[in-house]
């Protein structure tokens, strides 16, 4: 399995921390998780050569004016995500990646300062995803 981890971070230390977190959580080896530092290098590869796309986190946000911070790069991100979705390549968005995925799919993202949350949260595997190879290992139960 080849997974593209599309990272939208500015700090090199954060890039590596995020990559290591995904390596601990996904059922793939280091050679199967291809990290792309999108802000620094864009994406020159072929998304069709991957089995899944993971959109990483960022200090950016999609809500209103926050997306303007990355507007020069936004068209490229949207193109990659749309290509993956049309090809039915599984796409997982984490934090900013999830906001970006909602934005691309026509959803709206708002900023709610009163209910804003950051950090790590437990996830539960839903029955509909129990046979998904991408999610199998991290949620394995006895």
């Amino acid at each position: 399995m080849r997974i593209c981890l599309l990272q939208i971070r500015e700090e090199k230390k954060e890039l590596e921390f995020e990559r290591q977190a995904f390596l601990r959580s996904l059922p793939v080896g280091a050679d199967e998780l291809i990290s792309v530092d999108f802000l620094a290098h864009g994406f020159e590869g072929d998304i069709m050569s991957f089995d899944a796309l993971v959109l990483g986190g960022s200090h950016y946000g999609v809500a209103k004016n926050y997306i303007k911070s990355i507007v020069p790069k936004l068209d490229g991100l949207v193109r990659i995500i749309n290509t993956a979705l049309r090809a039915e390549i599984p796409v997982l968005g984490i934090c900013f990646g999830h906001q970006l995925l909602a934005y691309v799919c026509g959803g709206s993202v708002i900023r709610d300062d009163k209910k804003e949350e950051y950090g790590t949260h437990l996830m539960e595997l839903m029955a509909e995803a129990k046979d998904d190879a991408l999610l199998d290992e991290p949620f394995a139960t006895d």
Side-chain angles (χ1 to χ4, degrees), residues 34-124:
I34 313 305
S35 300
V36 176
D37 181 351
F38 188 80
L39 291 180
H41 306 291
F43 181 76
E44 310 237 344
D46 178 10
I47 197 63
M48 302 300 284
S49 69
F50 292 95
D51 300 300
L53 170 62
V54 176
L55 304 168
S58 180
H59 70 276
Y60 295 110
V62 174
K64 296 182 182 174
N65 294 333
Y66 300 98
I67 194 78
K68 292 181 180 178
S69 304
I70 61 164
V71 166
K73 303 275 187 176
L74 183 61
D75 289 342
L77 285 168
V78 170
R79 232 181 344 270
I80 293 165
I81 296 166
N82 277 327
T83 299
L85 291 172
R86 279 194 299 276
E88 298 185 6
I89 295 171
V91 179
L92 173 65
I94 302 296
C95 195
F96 170 79
H98 184 79
Q99 294 176 34
L100 187 58
L101 187 57
Y103 173 84
V104 169
C105 291
S108 61
V109 178
I110 62 166
R111 182 176 175 143
D112 185 345
D113 292 326
K114 293 179 184 173
K115 295 182 182 177
E116 196 169 75
E117 294 182 12
Y118 297 96
T120 304
H121 303 277
L122 293 175
M123 294 175 56
E124 182 179 332

